């Protein structure tokens, strides 16, 4: 059964927080089993950070806590702002060679005094340890439909998990993805396609965007524009997954702002059958899928060792 709460009007609310907690409980059991079957083995995750961006610090603390909660051994590899691209790659390659590390994350963007190409850094991670699912080899396998021989990117995979928990069939559905970023939009298209949806990707050049959106049985929005998708754009009964997280001014809040998605929640929930909230929707699922990939990486490492 899907983890939902009934909205005051219309759609059921897909709680990413609740689903993520369920996933983490399942992963904790898998880790316990891995350890019992392989005495002395502890799945390891390394998070590589260049500099001291506060937003990165917040995300890393979340990842480290989630890893500890399910029984992983996480390590935070902190590099100074003076780190060059060559030094970053050297640090990553050292982790590639470390058999106690099964998953590697390079926190983006790097906060360096020197130019660092994020794509080069991500492609320096061994595909066998690329638990973010962002290097070119894993991305290529996702695009080709080789979904069992790669790591799926965490945010799109979290979206798929939420969609599947609604019970609404993906196969045969008309799916629309707003946004074509390499991290969310493009791989979201791929996962929906290889799960047998008919998929349209929309972007800044798409003509008559509301009309295209209105045809979606499943709508995934990742455009970074607050409350852009309005209620009259959305098909009655659609499943709506909102990947956006945007601060907007709100004088009623102590901070002077609040977070909203890319979807106008109050309007769209009156038309949708299911909708994700912001916050508490896609965000927690991204971290949960990162943990899932790390446990998978550790399991594959054990299998290779015993083969």
């Amino acid at each position: 059964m899907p983890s939902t709460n009934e909205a005051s009007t219309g759609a059921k609310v897909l709680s990413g927080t609740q689903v993520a907690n369920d996933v983490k409980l399942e992963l904790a059991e898998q880790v316990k089993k891995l350890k019992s079957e392989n005495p002395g083995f502890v799945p390891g995750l390394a998070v590589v950070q260049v500099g001291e961006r506060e937003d990165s610090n917040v995300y890393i603390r979340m990842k480290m806590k989630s890893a500890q909660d399910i029984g992983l051994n996480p390590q935070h590899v902190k590099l100074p702002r003076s780190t060059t691209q060559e030094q970053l790659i050297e640090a990553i390659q050292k982790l590639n060679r470390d058999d106690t590390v099964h998953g590697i994350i390079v926190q983006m963007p790097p906060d360096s005094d020197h130019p660092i190409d994020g794509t080069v850094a991500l492609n320096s991670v061994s595909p066998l340890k690329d638990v973010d699912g962002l290097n070119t080899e894993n991305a290529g396998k996702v695009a080709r439909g080789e979904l069992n021989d790669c790591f799926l990117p965490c945010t799109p995979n979290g979206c798929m998990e939420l969609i599947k928990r609604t019970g609404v069939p993906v196969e045969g559905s008309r799916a629309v993805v707003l946004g074509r970023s390499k991290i969310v939009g493009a791989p979201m298209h791929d996962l929906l396609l290889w799960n047998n949806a008919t998929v349209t990707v929309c972007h800044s050049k798409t003509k008559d965007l509301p009309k295209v959106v209105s045809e979606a049985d499943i709508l995934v929005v990742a455009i970074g524009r607050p409350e852009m998708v309005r209620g009259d754009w959305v098909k009655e009964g659609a499943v709506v997954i909102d990947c956006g997280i945007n601060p907007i001014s709100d004088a009623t809040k102590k901070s002077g702002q609040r977070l909203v998605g890319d979807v106008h929640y109050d309007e769209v929930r009156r038309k949708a059958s299911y909708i994700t909230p912001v916050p508490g929707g896609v965000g927690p699922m991204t971290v949960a899928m990162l943990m899932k990939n790390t446990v998978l990486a550790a399991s594959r490492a054990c299998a290779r060792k015993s083969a």
Side-chain angles (χ1 to χ4, degrees), residues 11-185:
K12 291 179 180 177
V13 179
L14 276 169
S15 171
T17 301
Q18 189 176 335
V19 176
N21 286 337
D22 292 345
V23 169
K24 287 197 285 186
L25 287 172
E26 294 165 11
L27 292 174
E29 287 303 312
Q30 291 177 33
V31 171
K32 197 180 295 182
K33 186 180 178 188
L34 260 181
K35 289 177 176 178
S36 68
E37 292 175 350
N38 302 274
F41 178 81
V42 181
L45 173 67
V47 183
V48 183
Q49 179 186 17
V50 178
E52 283 285 351
R53 280 178 63 116
E54 186 49 39
D55 56 347
S56 292
N57 291 336
V58 170
Y59 294 138
I60 289 168
R61 282 195 293 270
M62 289 169 52
K63 293 168 185 175
M64 298 288 283
K65 183 180 184 308
S66 290
Q68 289 167 343
D69 287 347
I70 67 168
L72 305 183
N73 176 34
Q75 58 172 296
H76 185 184
V77 180
K78 297 183 74 170
L79 303 173
R81 286 193 61 184
S82 59
T83 300
T84 64
Q85 179 167 293
E86 291 73 19
Q87 290 168 330
L88 172 58
I89 291 170
E90 187 179 322
I92 293 168
Q93 290 175 340
K94 183 179 178 183
L95 293 168
N96 286 339
R97 296 189 295 268
D98 187 340
D99 290 339
T100 67
V101 173
H102 305 99
I104 301 170
I105 304 163
V106 183
Q107 187 66 38
M108 291 288 155
D111 178 27
S112 176
D113 296 330
H114 304 281
I116 292 178
D117 185 324
T119 301
V120 171
L122 293 172
N123 282 337
S124 300
V125 177
S126 165
L128 301 176
K129 299 186 178 187
D130 171 36
V131 290
D132 261 334
L134 295 178
N135 82 12
T136 300
E137 182 170 327
N138 280 315
K141 287 183 175 181
V142 171
R144 289 167 61 96
E146 298 172 21
L147 305 186
N148 294 319
D149 187 34
C150 64
F151 291 109
L152 304 181
C154 299
T155 298
N157 198 22
C159 293
M160 285 300 302
E161 186 70 26
L162 288 170
I163 293 165
K164 287 175 180 177
R165 295 210 179 203
T166 67
V168 173
V170 176
E171 184 170 330
S173 291
R174 180 73 189 271
V176 174
V177 179
L178 264 64
R180 55 180 172 183
S181 73
K182 293 178 184 177
I183 293 174
V184 183

Side-chain angles (χ1 to χ4, degrees), residues 234-298:
V234 175
K235 182 179 183 178
E236 195 80 39
V239 173
V240 179
I241 307 294
D242 188 350
C243 301
I245 185 157
N246 311 286
I248 63 169
S249 297
D250 186 340
T252 68
K253 301 292 183 183
K254 189 176 180 181
S255 65
Q257 57 182 214
R258 63 187 170 94
L259 295 176
V260 299
D262 294 345
V263 167
H264 195 292
Y265 184 82
D266 287 337
E267 291 183 7
V268 171
R269 72 178 183 179
R270 299 174 192 279
K271 297 283 290 293
S273 59
Y274 292 89
I275 190 169
T276 56
V278 177
V282 173
M285 291 302 296
T286 298
V287 178
M289 294 300 104
L290 175 61
M291 297 303 115
K292 185 174 182 177
N293 278 350
T294 304
V295 174
L296 177 59

